[in-house]
């Protein structure tokens, strides 16, 4: 659950969209193998949030650009497969 929350804060949406509900009534993860691998890495790194954030920020997925693509929009309009960066609004504190 911690890995999903870290992912949520960095990418704007979690691997499990229902971040507070991992049970039977919650949504399924979009990438269950990735979530498992990140959770194992998180535990192996001694539950270090700093190491997990660093690992995710240095990943190719985090560094993707937000370039419009008609084919991608047709196949995955909600960007659940993470084929491009998602636009996010900045909080007032960041401005």
């Amino acid at each position: 659950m911690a890995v999903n929350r870290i992912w949520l804060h960095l990418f704007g949406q979690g691997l499990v969209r229902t971040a507070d509900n991992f049970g039977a009534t919650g949504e399924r993860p979009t990438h269950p193998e990735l979530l498992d691998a990140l959770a194992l890495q998180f535990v192996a790194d001694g539950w270090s949030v700093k190491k997990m954030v660093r690992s995710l920020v240095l990943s190719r997925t985090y560094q993707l650009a937000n370039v419009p693509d008609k084919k991608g929009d047709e196949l995955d309009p909600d960007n659940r497969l993470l084929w491009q960066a998602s636009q996010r609004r900045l909080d007032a504190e960041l401005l």
Side-chain angles (χ1 to χ4, degrees):
M1 190 153 127
V3 172
N4 191 55
R5 288 202 182 270
I6 295 168
W7 185 282
L8 171 72
H9 288 290
L10 291 174
F11 289 90
Q13 61 187 4
L15 292 170
V16 179
R17 293 226 175 166
T18 52
D20 295 329
N21 187 357
F22 272 61
T25 59
E27 286 190 32
R28 307 282 304 159
T30 56
H31 300 81
E33 295 86 8
L34 175 61
L35 187 60
D36 290 343
L38 290 173
L40 290 173
Q41 178 185 344
F42 187 57
V43 172
D45 287 339
W47 302 85
S48 173
V49 174
K50 183 177 181 178
K51 287 182 181 180
M52 180 56 60
V53 168
R54 179 179 170 85
S55 173
L56 292 176
V57 169
L58 293 176
S59 71
R60 180 186 174 280
T61 304
Y62 187 80
Q63 297 174 14
L64 287 173
N66 188 345
V67 179
D69 180 20
K70 289 182 182 181
K71 185 176 180 181
D73 283 335
E74 290 173 5
L75 296 174
D76 184 24
D78 294 332
N79 194 27
R80 295 204 44 149
L81 300 177
L82 305 172
W83 59 273
Q84 73 172 359
S86 297
Q87 289 184 348
R88 298 186 324 177
R89 290 186 174 261
L90 289 176
D91 292 332
E93 295 91 28
L94 296 175
L95 292 175

